[in-house]
Amino acid sequence: MNPLMSPGARCALSVNVNKVALLRNTRHLGIPSVLRAAELCLLAGAQGITVHPRPDARHIRTQDVHELAALMKQWPQAEYNIEGNPTQNLMDFVRELRPHQVTFVPDSEDQFTSDHGWNLPADNERLKPLIDECRSLGVRVSLFMDPLPEVMRQVAALGAERIELYTETYASAFGTAREAEVLAGFTATAQAALAAGLGINAGHDLSRDNLTKFLQAVPGVQEVSIGHALIADALELGYAETVRDYQRCIQRAYA
Ligand SMILES: CC(=O)[C@@H](O)[C@H](O)COP(=O)(O)O
Ligand SMILES: NCC(=O)COP(=O)(O)O
C-alpha cells in the first residue's frame, strides 16, 4: 500500500494512442481507427487520452489531434493530454484546442523516441513564457523530467503544476539487481516534487509487468500515460480487456 495515497485514491490511466496512428499510417485505408481506439479505451474505463503529435507526423497527425479533441468533449470526466516540444509545433494545438493538460517534452524533431527530460536551469528562460501562456489559457502544464530531486523546486518556480517522471530507466532496471536503487531515485524525486507543491505524472515504457511496483514505491502519482506496451497488449487482448488489466495493475498498488 502506497502510504501517501489516501484510501481509495487512485492513479488515472491515460492511454497514449501514438502507436495506433503509426500502424494506420502504413496504408491509405484509415484503419486501425485512432478515434475508435480512444473511444473503446474510454468506454473500458481509461481516465484520459494522450497524444504526441511529432513535427514529422510519423504517427499522430494534426487531424487526429483535432478529432480527439472533439471526442473528449463527449467524455467530460476524462482528460486530454497533448505532449510535445513547445518550441516546435505544440503551442498551436494548445492555443486552438485548450486540452486539460499539456506535457512539455524536450524532444528534437527527428528523435527516435522521448529519451530525456528538461535541463533546468538551462531551459528555464525558454520555458517560463510558454508555461505562463498555457496557464493563462487554463491549460495545466506538466514538465517531462528525469528523476532528479534537486530540480523539483525549480520546476515549481517556473509555474508548472506537475512533472511527468520519465520512467524508462526504471523500466529497463525492472527485474534486475539495479531495480531497488533506480526505484529509490524515483521515490526521492516524487517526495521532493510533493514538497515543492507539484503534482506527479509518470510515463515511458510502463507496462503491466512493471506498473504496480512503481506505483507502490513512488508516492502521489496522479496519472500514468501508457502507450507502447498497452497498445501491444491490445493487439492480443483487445482494447477493453487491456485497459481493464492495466486498471487492475493500478488498483493492486493501493490494495
Ligand atoms: C513523452 C513520452 O515518453 C512518450 O509519451 C512519447 O509520446 C513517446 O513517443 P513515441 O510514441 O513517438 O515513441
Ligand atoms: N508520456 C508517456 C506516454 O504517453 C507513453 O509512453 P509509452 O508508454 O509509449 O512509452
Side-chain angles (χ1 to χ4, degrees):
M1 171 75 179
N2 182 320
L4 279 172
M5 294 301 283
S6 58
R10 56 177 295 167
C11 170
L13 172 66
S14 185
V15 176
N16 181 313
V17 291
N18 290 353
K19 300 300 161 46
V20 181
L22 191 68
L23 178 57
R24 187 239 6 237
N25 292 354
T26 55
R27 289 288 173 87
H28 303 297
L29 301 173
I31 56 171
S33 162
V34 172
L35 212 55
R36 186 69 180 138
E39 200 169 32
L40 289 171
C41 290
L42 292 166
L43 281 167
Q47 288 91 0
I49 296 297
T50 291
V51 290
H52 192 147
R54 295 182 178 277
D56 64 7
R58 68 187 72 166
H59 39 55
I60 293 293
R61 295 167 172 165
T62 297
Q63 183 179 345
D64 296 317
V65 183
H66 286 254
E67 288 179 354
L68 286 166
L71 173 69
M72 295 309 287
K73 290 189 181 348
Q74 300 167 33
W75 292 85
Q77 299 306 314
E79 288 205 347
Y80 192 26
N81 175 40
I82 304 179
E83 298 183 329
N85 188 325
T87 65
Q88 295 166 2
N89 61 332
L90 180 65
M91 292 304 289
D92 289 344
F93 292 119
V94 176
R95 292 168 186 134
E96 192 169 350
L97 300 172
R98 305 198 186 187
H100 299 88
Q101 176 176 266
V102 65
T103 301
F104 286 2
V105 186
D107 286 3
S108 60
E109 298 214 5
D110 59 359
Q111 199 162 310
F112 177 67
T113 187
S114 307
D115 61 11
H116 64 281
W118 291 98
N119 175 17
L120 305 185
D123 293 326
N124 283 15
E125 202 171 317
R126 269 196 308 164
L127 288 174
K128 186 75 176 74
L130 295 164
I131 293 171
D132 290 347
E133 180 181 357
C134 291
R135 294 196 63 164
S136 71
L137 294 169
V139 177
R140 180 194 316 133
V141 178
S142 177
L143 293 193
F144 194 64
M145 299 298 293
D146 296 301
L148 299 169
E150 64 275 14
V151 300
M152 292 301 109
R153 292 171 70 84
Q154 290 182 55
V155 174
L158 282 172
E161 289 103 320
R162 293 195 188 176
I163 59 166
E164 176 177 346
L165 290 168
Y166 168 49
T167 50
E168 190 279 332
T169 52
Y170 161 69
S172 56
F174 181 75
T176 75
R178 295 187 59 249
E179 178 187 301
E181 173 203 354
V182 172
L183 201 45
F186 283 91
T187 302
T189 304
Q191 290 166 338
L194 292 170
L198 293 165
I200 302 167
N201 297 340
H204 205 96
D205 286 344
L206 292 175
S207 70
R208 285 184 293 167
D209 296 330
N210 62 35
L211 180 55
T212 300
K213 197 159 198 180
F214 182 82
L215 295 176
Q216 286 172 330
V218 180
V221 179
Q222 294 168 272
E223 173 191 291
V224 287
S225 45
I226 306 176
H228 195 92
L230 189 151
I231 300 303
D233 290 332
L235 291 175
E236 292 177 39
L237 304 171
Y239 295 118
E241 182 50 33
T242 298
V243 165
R244 286 193 288 268
D245 213 5
Y246 275 79
Q247 295 285 23
R248 286 190 285 268
C249 292
I250 292 171
Q251 280 305 326
R252 277 200 292 274
Y254 309 117

